[in-house]
Amino acid sequence: LKEAIYVPKEIEAIEDNDVNVRVTGTLQEVVSERLLIRKCPNCGNNVGDIEIDGENTCDFCGESFDEPRTTIMIPTTLVDDTGEIGITFFDNLVEDLLEMPKDEIVSIVNDDPGALDGKIEDLEGITVEVIANVSYDEYNEVRKLNPRKILQKYY
C-alpha cells in the first residue's frame, strides 16, 4: 500500500508538480545561517532585527507586536546516484532532524546565534527517506522538494 500511495522515485525521474513521492538521498550542502525566520504575527511578512521581549513594529503593515512568529528552517541538497535536488525542511521536520523541540531550538539560537551550527553541519552526509511534493521554481528554473514527512534517517 505504501508503494502505491507514496511512489518511490529517483531524483532524475522527478517531474514538475509530482505529489507524494518517496525519495531517498544523502543530505549535502546543509545551510545553517538562516535557521530562524521571524515573521510578523499580523501580516506574515519577514521582520528584520527585533527586540526579544520588547515591543516591535512591522515595517510592512505597521502593526505592533510583542513576539514575532518564528519558523525554523534548514535548506539543503538531496543527492542520490541519479542527481541532486534542493530540499528545505521546516518546523516539525527540523525538530525531527535535530532531535530537539522547536522551543528549545529557538531559545538556544536567541541566546547564541551560532550555537547549533555544529549540530546542523553534522546532518551533512546522513541519508533520509522523505515523502515530498515537488515544485518548480520559475525564477531559478529548478525543481525543489517540499518535504512533508521524514520516513527514515540513516547515519
Side-chain angles (χ1 to χ4, degrees):
L1 186 61
K2 183 168 103 172
E3 300 283 326
I5 296 173
Y6 305 116
V7 179
K9 285 197 170 187
E10 293 182 325
I11 291 173
E12 79 173 353
I14 290 174
E15 298 177 20
D16 298 354
N17 302 316
D18 272 346
V19 177
N20 290 331
V21 293
R22 199 174 60 188
V23 183
T24 301
T26 303
L27 298 181
Q28 293 185 356
E29 301 172 18
V30 180
V31 179
S32 62
E33 283 93 40
R34 289 198 52 203
L35 181 61
L36 299 186
I37 299 173
R38 295 178 174 92
K39 295 184 176 275
C40 172
N42 302 303
C43 69
N45 279 292
N46 288 352
V47 293
D49 295 329
I50 56 148
E51 287 182 36
I52 304 297
D53 300 326
E55 188 171 311
N56 298 280
T57 303
C58 176
D59 292 336
F60 187 78
C61 71
E63 294 290 324
S64 295
F65 58 91
D66 293 328
E67 297 265 335
R69 189 177 75 228
T70 303
T71 300
I72 50 179
M73 167 182 92
I74 297 178
T76 185
T77 302
L78 191 68
V79 178
D80 70 7
D81 294 337
T82 67
E84 64 182 48
I85 190 167
I87 184 170
T88 302
F89 296 93
F90 290 96
D91 289 331
N92 62 332
L93 299 179
V94 173
E95 289 178 291
D96 289 350
L97 285 173
L98 296 180
E99 299 174 349
M100 297 172 71
K102 180 178 178 176
D103 58 342
E104 184 179 350
I105 294 168
V106 171
S107 176
I108 289 170
V109 173
N110 282 338
D111 290 343
D112 179 3
L116 294 177
D117 288 355
K119 189 168 180 83
I120 293 168
E121 289 166 5
D122 287 346
L123 297 174
E124 183 115 7
I126 72 165
T127 300
V128 294
E129 180 182 11
V130 297
I131 295 171
N133 294 337
V134 179
S135 63
Y136 185 74
D137 178 352
E138 291 183 24
Y139 182 75
N140 294 308
E141 298 181 349
V142 294
R143 291 184 186 101
K144 292 188 176 194
L145 287 180
N146 302 317
R148 296 182 36 218
K149 182 164 181 64
I150 298 172
L151 297 174
Q152 295 185 57
K153 295 186 291 187
Y154 310 94
Y155 293 92

